[in-house]
Amino acid sequence: GENVEQHPSTLSVQEGDSAVIKCTYSDSASNYFPWYKQELGKGPQLIIDIRSNVGEKKDQRIAVTLNKTAKHFSLHITETQPEDSAVYFCAPRTPRDSNYQLIWGAGTKLIIKP
Amino acid sequence: NAGVTQTPKFQVLKTGQSMTLQCAQDMNHEYMSWYRQDPGMGLRLIHYSVGAGITDQGEVPNGYNVSRSTTEDFPLRLLSAAPSQTSVYFCASSYSLLAKARTGELFFGEGSRLTVL
């Protein structure tokens, strides 16, 4: 089955600096690559996603890059702000029986230092 | 438009008790699912449903039952609670089958924190 790893598990950056979180997956049949943000006491929320036929996607300060050959994709946050402090999850979509499922990484806690 | 609503937000049970976590969505989503979240382990899928009358097991189904009698509701039942079921439970829904959707965005409820003593 799919094995998903996120690195680092905790990331602390100075406000205004950039943050990068990497997600490695094992199933080459994975075809959709989202990132979710979970704020304290809330459910995860989709912040950006990319499909397998695209290498990079940007939305204002956040971007996702995909390397299908190496089987990893990364979340990039530029000009970090205090409200970026949260736990971030990758969840590549992989075939499972006759359906697809999202397989979740363990999460990365991002801390923005003022 | 309330999105995904979960009740209760907090619950304490004794070992062996049963209870139902409620989940309702008002977005006419076909796909609904239950996850549990434990520290350092991300989200693990318990059960899911691709439409009314259809349910299937996820990664960690033991000790839990579900039913889907309507499009809107997807309750999760704990038959005989055990301390290992202490966790935060999330219900999530999606517009269509993940296999067919061009995007697979899941909409989550705010979670139900369950403690089993």
Side-chain angles (χ1 to χ4, degrees):
Chain A
E2 175 83 290
N3 185 38
V4 176
E5 292 186 359
Q6 266 184 251
H7 294 282
S9 56
T10 305
L11 178 60
S12 184
V13 301
Q14 206 69 40
E15 183 179 349
D17 287 350
S18 296
V20 181
I21 303 170
K22 185 176 180 179
C23 182
T24 304
Y25 61 95
S26 61
D27 191 340
S28 57
S30 295
N31 62 2
Y32 168 71
F33 307 93
W35 284 97
Y36 282 78
K37 176 183 181 182
Q38 185 178 26
E39 297 176 345
L40 199 61
K42 295 187 178 295
Q45 186 172 14
L46 179 71
I47 55 170
I48 196 165
D49 57 11
I50 194 167
R51 287 186 277 279
S52 58
N53 58 346
V54 178
E56 181 176 0
K57 181 178 177 181
K58 293 181 77 171
D59 183 3
Q60 298 183 338
R61 295 187 299 108
I62 61 173
V64 55
T65 57
L66 172 64
N67 185 326
K68 283 217 77 177
T69 304
K71 289 188 276 189
H72 64 74
F73 61 112
S74 297
L75 175 69
H76 304 256
I77 305 174
T78 59
E79 300 172 19
T80 52
Q81 301 171 2
E83 55 264 36
D84 295 328
S85 293
V87 180
Y88 292 82
F89 293 96
C90 65
R93 183 172 71 184
T94 191
R96 183 63 57 89
D97 300 323
S98 58
N99 207 329
Y100 281 86
Q101 293 295 348
L102 300 181
I103 307 299
W104 294 78
T108 296
K109 184 176 184 179
L110 177 61
I111 301 165
I112 308 300
K113 296 181 290 185
Chain B
N1 193 339
V4 179
T5 303
Q6 287 182 238
T7 56
K9 287 187 168 22
F10 300 94
Q11 183 72 50
V12 178
L13 290 177
K14 294 181 180 177
T15 297
Q17 287 184 318
S18 63
M19 77 156 299
T20 299
L21 299 177
Q22 302 289 346
C23 176
Q25 53 90 9
D26 60 359
M27 297 173 282
N28 201 30
H29 284 171
E30 290 182 358
Y31 179 90
M32 295 187 74
S33 56
W34 277 101
Y35 287 90
R36 61 178 288 172
Q37 184 173 35
D38 301 294
M41 297 187 71
L43 289 153
R44 292 185 292 170
L45 182 65
I46 305 171
H47 286 285
Y48 66 97
S49 168
V50 298
I54 305 169
T55 63
D56 209 343
Q57 295 182 349
E59 183 184 354
V60 288
N62 292 341
Y64 307 95
N65 274 0
V66 292
S67 59
R68 185 95 179 269
S69 56
T70 67
T71 300
E72 295 78 19
D73 300 296
F74 191 47
L76 178 72
R77 296 183 186 84
L78 281 71
L79 304 174
S80 178
S84 61
Q85 294 179 303
T86 294
S87 188
V88 180
Y89 292 85
F90 287 98
C91 179
S93 69
S94 179
Y95 177 69
S96 61
L97 290 172
L98 295 185
K100 294 181 181 178
R102 288 181 294 174
T103 72
E105 180 174 6
L106 282 175
F107 294 83
F108 283 83
E110 298 216 326
S112 299
R113 183 175 293 275
L114 175 67
T115 301
V116 183
L117 302 175

